[in-house]
Amino acid sequence: MTNNNKTLSKVRWGSSLALCAGIVACGGTATTPGDTSSSQPVQSSSAVSSSTPVSSSAPSSSSVASSAPASSSSSSASGTNWPLVVAINAGSNLAATFNGVEYQADKYANGGSSHEVTDPINGVAEDALFQTERWGENYRYEVPVTPGTFTISLHMAELYHNAGGLRTFDVSVEGVPVFDDLDLFSQVGQFGALTQWVENIPVSDGSLTIELAASQDAGTLTGFAIYSNDGELDTSVPVSNCNGYVGLTFDDGPTGNTRSFVNTLRQNNLMPVTFFVNGSNISDPSVIREMMTVGEVQNHAFTHDYLTSMSQQQVRSQLEDNNNAIQNAGAPKPTILRPPYGDYNATVEQIANQLGLYVIQWDVDSRDWSGASSADIVNAVNQLRDGQNILMHENQANTINPSTMSQIASLLESKGLCPGVIDPNTGRVVAPR
Ligand code: ZN
């Protein structure tokens, strides 16, 4: 994985040499393609604490400017006099102001997860921008812009690790490396802030792309601001309002009410959801295809019994028979198992894995199975954070009530959260594919 990531960015570097000459000092990495030891920024980095810029080979027209510590001088607060195009507070539902610039709630992200801290940030007077982050092994921002030349500031902080060497990642802008194996802790320490300016980026492909790829652990960004003299935000491109994804899961179907419930979900644009079904409940296979129009159909065992009370052969039959029932009804082979009652052990998990099923439970329990009211269920959804899923049931009247689903839709929209799918490799909820 590490080598793949590094290779990827070298390839991109090579394929964008013409571009990179206009953006950054190309010399450093281009002439040392085999070097894997660098932990310094590819270009000069501007940090609140000092870091070691590699700027000697920068052409005079270049581009990655080093800003002085943000807290020490107002004249260095901005690396450009160009007008602001847009600024984003990564990983947050809220706007934040930094050096007079308003950073909007997170958007334009593709992948990654949000995380926040309340710890004070070292070296900056305004902490909020640096206290929330979007992090992930590989993710990117795609900001729709009209053709032009752009300058951006990238803001980062080490909000998690308390030692060096635990996180290293690459950052590229429009395919051109900005950082190679950046180790934030080594640069600024835990809860230290780093700001990197990247100047004179030509964009003609409809979007300004900021890409993060981890060599170790995860990349992270707490925000960015984009400036331009000639380009602007392309507001004709529809932008998703999603700054996080949550899993709406409905177990124990299908039931006689499934078709109308599918309509309710569609009317409220609550898609995609995940249905964990029991094959023993499938009397009319066409209902499975109907469920697929609003989400995924996954495995909840063939009958609703405790898997840990069964022999290994019985467990295997429960999972296999259910996979077959779902596939015979026209759905893809399930990739996720939620055991009935969340009941499983290492043996169940091993058998599930052999059948290509990742085992999950839930992050939030709506308790609809024990008489939760519509308001209780909505309140439970309100606890969901980016990447988490909630347990609900298709056979509970308060859950499938159109009023409940309508309230959930409004709630999620107000929080900038969108229904997502469960990643069968991690169990986390991610953007729909
Ligand atoms: Zn169940």
Side-chain angles (χ1 to χ4, degrees):
M1 184 62 72
T2 294
N3 288 337
N4 286 345
N5 285 336
K6 288 188 69 67
T7 301
L8 191 60
S9 74
K10 299 298 183 194
V11 168
R12 286 185 181 166
W13 176 270
S15 66
S16 348
L17 272 178
L19 191 59
C20 97
I23 300 181
V24 296
C26 299
T29 53
T31 56
T32 56
D35 174 30
T36 56
S37 66
S38 167
S39 61
Q40 292 174 338
V42 172
Q43 298 85 30
S44 63
S45 111
S46 71
V48 169
S49 79
S50 72
S51 60
T52 311
V54 183
S55 59
S56 59
S57 62
S60 58
S61 64
S62 97
S63 49
V64 173
S66 187
S67 78
S71 57
S72 68
S73 159
S74 59
S75 67
S76 67
S78 166
T80 177
N81 293 320
W82 288 349
L84 179 70
V85 174
V86 69
I88 296 298
N89 184 15
S92 177
N93 300 336
L94 304 172
T97 300
F98 181 67
N99 283 337
V101 174
E102 178 167 309
Y103 291 73
Q104 303 175 20
D106 203 354
K107 57 180 164 181
Y108 309 120
N110 190 322
S113 303
S114 55
H115 169 234
E116 65 181 89
V117 301
T118 54
D119 305 80
I121 302 300
N122 300 322
V124 291
E126 298 163 297
D127 292 0
L129 176 65
F130 294 93
Q131 286 174 317
T132 63
E133 63 177 332
R134 179 161 292 275
W135 62 276
E137 187 178 342
N138 279 286
Y139 72 94
R140 66 182 188 275
Y141 279 91
E142 295 269 8
V143 183
V145 292
T146 60
T149 303
F150 298 82
T151 282
I152 69 174
S153 61
L154 300 171
H155 305 289
M156 306 173 188
E158 179 50 75
L159 301 182
Y160 189 77
H161 291 295
N162 56 13
L166 300 177
R167 175 209 298 283
T168 55
F169 62 103
D170 299 345
V171 182
S172 65
V173 176
E174 286 295 290
V176 176
V178 175
F179 287 110
D180 180 25
D181 280 350
L182 174 63
D183 181 340
L184 268 180
F185 182 90
S186 298
Q187 296 289 330
V188 293
Q190 192 176 26
F191 306 122
L194 182 148
T195 291
Q196 170 77 43
W197 287 90
V198 186
E199 297 187 343
N200 301 325
I201 309 158
V203 180
S204 58
D205 62 356
S207 64
L208 195 160
T209 304
I210 304 167
E211 193 154 21
L212 290 87
S215 303
Q216 179 155 348
D217 189 41
T220 179
L221 203 55
T222 65
F224 58 89
I226 301 176
Y227 305 83
S228 182
N229 233 350
D230 49 1
E232 46 192 41
L233 206 56
D234 184 351
T235 52
S236 71
V237 177
V239 175
S240 143
N241 181 37
C242 305
N243 51 46
Y245 293 90
V246 295
L248 304 176
T249 74
F250 302 98
D251 293 8
D252 298 1
T255 77
N257 293 316
T258 293
R259 287 177 198 280
S260 66
F261 181 52
V262 165
N263 279 333
T264 298
L265 291 169
R266 186 181 296 113
Q267 282 161 7
N268 286 287
N269 201 28
L270 286 173
M271 302 181 286
V273 301
T274 305
F275 297 103
F276 288 98
V277 305
N278 303 112
S280 59
N281 290 335
I282 305 175
S283 50
D284 174 4
S286 71
V287 77
I288 297 293
R289 288 193 291 280
E290 191 124 349
M291 295 163 113
M292 286 166 54
T293 64
V294 295
E296 294 189 344
V297 179
Q298 297 285 5
N299 197 321
H300 196 41
F302 191 78
T303 63
H304 204 281
D305 295 297
Y306 291 92
L307 294 176
T308 61
S309 305
M310 299 179 192
S311 71
Q312 294 191 25
Q313 186 50 50
Q314 287 172 318
V315 171
R316 183 174 293 274
S317 296
Q318 280 284 336
L319 307 190
E320 250 172 357
D321 290 354
N322 204 33
N323 272 358
N324 290 337
I326 291 167
Q327 288 180 270
N328 289 341
K333 184 182 180 189
T335 54
I336 301 170
L337 169 70
R338 176 181 279 155
Y341 311 103
D343 170 57
Y344 74 103
N345 56 22
T347 304
V348 170
E349 187 167 29
Q350 187 179 15
I351 294 168
N353 291 165
Q354 286 165 1
L355 296 171
L357 295 164
Y358 185 94
V359 182
I360 71 158
Q361 293 183 312
W362 50 83
D363 301 293
V364 176
D365 181 354
S366 71
R367 298 189 65 83
D368 60 348
W369 51 271
S370 73
S373 68
S374 180
D376 294 336
I377 295 166
V378 175
N379 284 336
V381 170
N382 195 29
Q383 297 167 30
L384 280 174
R385 305 185 67 164
D386 183 26
Q388 295 186 331
N389 81 76
I390 181 170
L391 173 70
M392 296 180 279
H393 293 84
E394 266 192 77
N395 56 4
Q396 295 299 325
N398 286 342
T399 297
I400 63 174
N401 185 331
S403 165
T404 307
M405 289 301 129
S406 162
Q407 291 176 65
I408 289 174
S410 301
L411 173 69
L412 292 180
E413 187 173 1
S414 73
K415 300 179 76 171
L417 292 171
C418 299
V421 296
I422 300 168
D423 185 326
N425 297 306
T426 64
R428 281 185 61 84
V429 179
V430 296
R433 289 177 282 271

